[in-house]
């Protein structure tokens, strides 16, 4: 393949996308971060390997750790663990009467049926959800959010959104929309699996 300015024909394992940027200095906007240092070190040590994915995915990984910390703090301030908020918010997003089957809840929260049963039991014991007979299936149940569960989910969400805005404070509204669009492109096929 013909070399282009700043590009070389180099593909990694399973990569058939064609030319990639040469390792080395780039025009960057914003301050350097630890990922820049990690990538530079790998480029120096392994010039034969294109480590470009680290530029994005290492930052996503590091951001996820900050988000996890913000989530845990927002939820703990309302007496909730992350998993509790996940179940309560799945119910809350349904709108009145704030109920789902256990199967729908496990699909919404990506856990196994045994895990979901345990979570529903614990949330019911805490008075945050109730089990009701499923009118469509005499053997089944519906999980319904209680008023206490709704209040705790709503308050925790309000605090979480404030924390998330703080994490995104370096981006304009247009930047946030662009980033959300790009992340959706990456995530949609993975969620479909």
């Amino acid at each position: 393949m013909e070399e282009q300015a700043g590009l070389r024909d180099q593909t990694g394992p399973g990569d058939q996308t064609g030319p990639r940027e040469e390792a080395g200095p780039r025009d960057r906007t914003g301050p350097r971060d630890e990922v820049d240092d990690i990538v530079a070190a790998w480029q120096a040590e392994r010039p034969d390997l294109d480590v470009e994915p680290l530029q994005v995915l290492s930052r996503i990984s590091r951001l996820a750790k900050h988000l996890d910390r913000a989530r845990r703090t927002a939820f703990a301030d309302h007496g909730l663990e992350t998993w509790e908020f996940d179940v309560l918010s799945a119910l809350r997003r349904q709108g009145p009467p704030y109920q789902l089957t256990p199967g729908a809840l496990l699909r919404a929260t990506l856990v196994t049926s045994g895990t979901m049963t345990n979570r529903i039991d614990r949330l019911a014991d805490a008075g945050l959800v109730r089990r009701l007979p499923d009118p469509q299936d005499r053997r089944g149940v519906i999980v319904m959010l209680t008023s206490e569960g709704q209040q705790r989910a709503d308050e925790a969400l309000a605090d979480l959104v404030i924390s998330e805005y703080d994490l995104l404070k370096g981006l304009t509204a247009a930047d946030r929309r662009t980033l959300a669009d790009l992340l959706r492109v990456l995530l949609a096929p993975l969620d479909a699996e």
Side-chain angles (χ1 to χ4, degrees), residues 94-111:
Q94 295 305 302
Y98 310 113
Q99 59 187 29
L100 287 169
T101 65
L105 275 171
L106 70 90
R107 286 187 297 277
T109 59
L110 304 175
V111 298

Side-chain angles (χ1 to χ4, degrees), residues 2-129:
E2 182 177 291
E3 275 198 18
Q4 299 170 6
L7 298 176
R8 67 178 169 192
D9 182 19
Q10 177 185 18
T11 55
D15 183 345
Q16 301 302 318
T17 58
R20 296 190 296 204
E21 293 182 30
E22 289 268 0
R26 301 167 206 257
D27 292 333
R28 286 189 178 88
T29 58
R32 285 185 59 85
D33 64 9
E34 289 183 41
V35 174
D36 290 321
D37 297 336
I38 291 167
V39 169
W42 277 122
Q43 288 172 332
E45 291 299 314
R46 290 292 311 270
D48 61 308
L49 185 63
D50 181 6
V51 295
E52 184 68 22
L54 295 176
Q55 291 282 2
V56 175
L57 299 176
S58 290
R59 286 185 174 92
I60 289 173
S61 176
R62 287 169 178 265
L63 184 59
K65 290 175 185 174
H66 290 285
L67 177 58
D68 183 56
R69 196 171 17 248
R71 289 171 59 91
R72 282 186 278 120
T73 299
F75 303 151
D77 288 348
H78 299 281
L80 297 172
E81 293 183 38
T82 300
W83 68 264
E84 291 172 308
F85 178 80
D86 289 345
V87 175
L88 298 178
S89 66
L91 292 164
R92 179 66 173 97
R93 290 189 308 265
Q94 295 305 302
Y98 310 113
Q99 59 187 29
L100 287 169
T101 65
L105 275 171
L106 70 90
R107 286 187 297 277
T109 59
L110 304 175
V111 298
T112 65
S113 61
T115 298
M116 183 51 65
T117 298
N118 180 271
R119 289 179 176 187
I120 293 168
D121 288 344
R122 291 174 65 185
L123 290 167
D125 290 345
L128 302 176
V129 302

Side-chain angles (χ1 to χ4, degrees), residues 135-188:
Q136 308 295 320
D137 178 0
R138 292 186 345 187
R139 296 173 293 149
V141 297
I142 296 287
V143 180
M144 182 175 155
L145 191 62
T146 65
S147 58
E148 173 69 15
Q150 179 181 343
Q151 179 181 345
R152 302 251 299 269
D154 285 350
E155 291 171 353
L157 177 64
D159 285 353
L160 176 61
V161 169
I162 291 167
S163 296
E164 289 181 347
Y165 267 113
D166 191 48
L167 288 172
L168 296 170
K169 67 185 170 196
L171 301 176
T172 66
D175 290 340
R176 290 191 304 267
R177 284 189 300 273
T178 299
L179 180 58
D181 290 343
L182 292 170
L183 291 172
R184 186 180 303 109
V185 169
L186 290 177
L187 191 56

